[in-house]
Amino acid sequence: MTNNPLMPINAEVINIISESSDVKTFQLRPETPLDHMPGQCAMISLLGIGEALFSITSPPGRDYMEFSIKRVGKLTEVLHQLEPGQTVGIRGPYGNNFPVERIKGKKLLFIGGGIGLAPLRSLIQYTLDRPEEYPEAKQLIYGARSTDDLIFERDIFDQWPKENNFQINLSVDVESPGWDGFVGFVPQYLEELSPDPTDTVAVTCGPPIMIKFVLQTLEKIGFKPEQIVTTLEYKMKCGVGKCGRCNLDEFYVCKDGPVFYLSDLNQMKNDFI
């Protein structure tokens, strides 16, 4: 990071992957490498347009950084028009990371919804890259509105199912042509599958309403708050604890999070649980 935490550096767009009709993954190569860990975020900017905070989709150790960005407003609309070879601004990384040390020796349950699979993908791939450190069983429960909204198809359909001891469970909210999997919301699917909480850590990210009911369902099926991890990067704005937009009680998501155990969230005054 530069001496001024608000000053971006240049990053070249080296590749763009279309994930769905409104989500693209951008592979960026910053002019100065930015070391990060799974769960952290970075600010992407375009001169004269604006900036916004996005979770880092790729695991550390690559010679590029990936950001999966949903087209939802002015900045993201322009980002979606970029082509390889163009340049954006980047600053970060910000926030804490998923507890990669504490989850060693545990079975891992990943629960994602929609674009919420983006930060989880960094952690999933981080653990798959280190099988000797994370040899225990893994399971992904992931859902989207329709089959057209499922992202990272190369991972969820092709690469991850080939991994040893990795169970993939997919769902869609509404009936889609040719779909023979679960139809319904992610919390419903989670309750139907009811994964065994013994020696398991659950990590979830998705729309706020999904996270809320996933947390409730996890406790219902036997997970304890200290076994449940979520990330709240959607609350972050400036990334450096100055704007106050992301405060939870006396904490700031951008400084103390965005990754929290449910046991920690239970101690805070918030409108989330």
Side-chain angles (χ1 to χ4, degrees):
M1 187 184 293
T2 60
N3 291 331
N4 183 347
L6 298 179
M7 182 67 70
I9 61 174
N10 289 330
E12 180 187 359
V13 180
I14 61 173
N15 191 26
I16 301 173
I17 303 169
S18 180
E19 305 287 3
S20 70
S21 61
D22 59 359
V23 175
K24 288 184 177 181
T25 295
F26 297 82
Q27 293 181 348
L28 307 181
R29 182 170 290 139
E31 60 184 6
T32 301
L34 301 178
D35 294 330
H36 74 281
M37 290 295 289
Q40 290 189 293
C41 307
M43 195 76 72
I44 304 297
S45 59
L46 288 173
L47 190 63
I49 304 296
E51 65 177 4
L53 201 75
F54 300 99
S55 60
I56 303 169
T57 310
S58 54
R62 308 292 194 264
D63 64 351
Y64 56 83
M65 302 174 74
E66 287 185 323
F67 297 85
S68 297
I69 298 175
K70 187 179 180 71
R71 189 178 69 248
V72 293
K74 181 180 179 181
L75 173 64
T76 55
E77 180 71 37
V78 178
L79 285 172
H80 271 234
Q81 297 173 18
L82 294 178
E83 296 181 356
Q86 293 185 277
T87 299
V88 300
I90 185 171
R91 59 182 175 93
Y94 296 116
N96 64 355
N97 55 268
F98 289 116
V100 295
E101 292 298 322
R102 290 178 63 179
I103 65 175
K104 287 182 178 179
K106 304 293 185 181
K107 294 180 291 183
L108 299 175
L109 172 62
F110 307 101
I111 307 164
I115 192 64
L117 184 56
L120 295 181
R121 179 175 181 256
S122 179
L123 178 61
I124 291 171
Q125 199 59 55
Y126 181 89
T127 62
L128 293 176
D129 288 346
R130 297 162 176 78
E132 70 286 348
E133 298 181 47
Y134 305 93
E136 290 75 14
K138 302 172 185 65
Q139 181 178 3
L140 170 66
I141 301 173
Y142 171 59
R145 287 174 299 179
S146 69
T147 54
D148 292 337
D149 296 301
L150 292 168
I151 60 174
F152 307 131
E153 290 188 358
R154 61 198 176 281
D155 294 323
I156 61 176
F157 290 120
D158 298 328
Q159 297 300 320
W160 292 346
K162 298 176 184 176
E163 297 286 344
N164 291 329
N165 219 9
F166 193 4
Q167 178 181 341
I168 310 294
N169 299 102
L170 305 176
S171 69
V172 295
D173 295 350
V174 295
E175 291 278 0
S176 298
W179 180 256
D180 59 0
F182 184 85
V183 177
F185 298 118
V186 170
Q188 295 174 305
Y189 198 21
L190 170 63
E191 185 170 3
E192 178 175 300
L193 292 170
S194 291
D196 182 5
T198 305
D199 293 325
T200 303
V201 173
V203 187
T204 184
C205 186
I209 189 65
M210 187 214 82
I211 297 179
K212 179 176 181 177
F213 285 102
V214 163
L215 297 180
Q216 294 176 3
T217 302
L218 285 169
E219 291 193 287
K220 181 178 180 181
I221 64 177
F223 282 79
K224 298 177 181 179
E226 58 269 23
Q227 292 177 272
I228 303 170
V229 179
T230 190
T231 176
L232 308 181
E233 80 271 0
Y234 77 94
K235 287 181 171 288
M236 295 167 66
K237 182 68 174 178
C238 73
V240 294
K242 298 300 183 183
C243 71
R245 180 182 183 272
C246 68
N247 65 298
L248 289 175
D249 206 357
E250 73 269 27
F251 301 96
Y252 287 88
V253 172
C254 67
K255 301 290 284 186
D256 303 294
V259 177
F260 294 95
Y261 276 87
L262 179 56
S263 53
D264 296 324
L265 290 176
N266 285 338
Q267 305 304 313
M268 305 177 191
K269 296 177 182 179
N270 66 85
D271 58 358
F272 187 72
I273 303 173

